[in-house]
């Protein structure tokens, strides 16, 4: 089992920044590729960003490219999502997840999520 706990969400004005953290415990963190997802009210969950086990491969949704950066610190068992130039449409619950490789179809473990609200 891998336990994932997100933090760093909150209320921010449009144009501002937030950094989300996701702390992992349970199994060897570096054995898992990680991803960030978000779900806004009334909308389906969407993938925001993904990072490989070593951090050498990064994938982003088109809607966040150039504004969000995913990174990981395997020594701290933590994955981050730096969000800059935030827009009201970025408002959502953000959740991190773990899967065996960046090529895996499904994620095996999910956190509880953290709310991000961007005011206009």
């Amino acid at each position: 089992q891998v336990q994932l706990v997100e933090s760093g969400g909150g209320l921010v004005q449009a144009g501002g920044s937030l950094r989300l953290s996701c702390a992992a415990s349970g199994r060897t963190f570096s054995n898992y590729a990680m991803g960030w997802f978000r779900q806004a009210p009334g909308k389906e969950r969407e993938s925001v960003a993904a990072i490989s086990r070593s951090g050498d491969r990064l994938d982003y949704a088109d809607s966040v490219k150039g504004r969000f950066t995913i990174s990981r610190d395997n020594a701290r068992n933590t994955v981050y999502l730096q969000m800059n130039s935030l827009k009201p449409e970025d408002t959502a619950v953000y959740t991190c997840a773990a899967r065996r490789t960046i090529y895996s179809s499904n994620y095996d473990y999910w956190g509880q999520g953290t709310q991000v609200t961007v005011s206009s």
Side-chain angles (χ1 to χ4, degrees), residues 34-84:
M34 301 297 296
W36 283 97
F37 291 77
R38 67 184 181 186
Q39 187 168 20
K43 295 187 176 181
E44 293 189 355
R45 183 172 62 197
E46 63 171 337
S47 175
V48 175
I51 187 168
S52 61
R53 290 181 290 188
S54 64
D56 61 346
R57 175 172 168 172
L58 310 175
D59 291 325
Y60 295 97
D62 288 342
S63 58
V64 306
K65 280 181 182 177
R67 301 188 299 121
F68 290 12
T69 302
I70 188 170
S71 62
R72 66 189 295 160
D73 185 340
N74 286 343
R76 295 180 182 272
N77 295 342
T78 302
V79 62
Y80 304 97
L81 186 67
Q82 177 67 44
M83 305 185 295
N84 299 328

Side-chain angles (χ1 to χ4, degrees), residues 68-120:
F68 290 12
T69 302
I70 188 170
S71 62
R72 66 189 295 160
D73 185 340
N74 286 343
R76 295 180 182 272
N77 295 342
T78 302
V79 62
Y80 304 97
L81 186 67
Q82 177 67 44
M83 305 185 295
N84 299 328
S85 303
L86 282 161
K87 305 175 181 179
E89 52 263 43
D90 294 319
T91 295
V93 174
Y94 284 73
T95 304
C96 68
R99 56 182 171 177
R100 289 295 290 153
T101 79
I102 201 167
Y103 304 105
S104 301
S105 299
N106 299 316
Y107 281 83
D108 301 304
Y109 304 102
W110 295 82
Q112 293 298 309
T114 185
Q115 176 70 47
V116 171
T117 303
V118 184
S119 63
S120 57

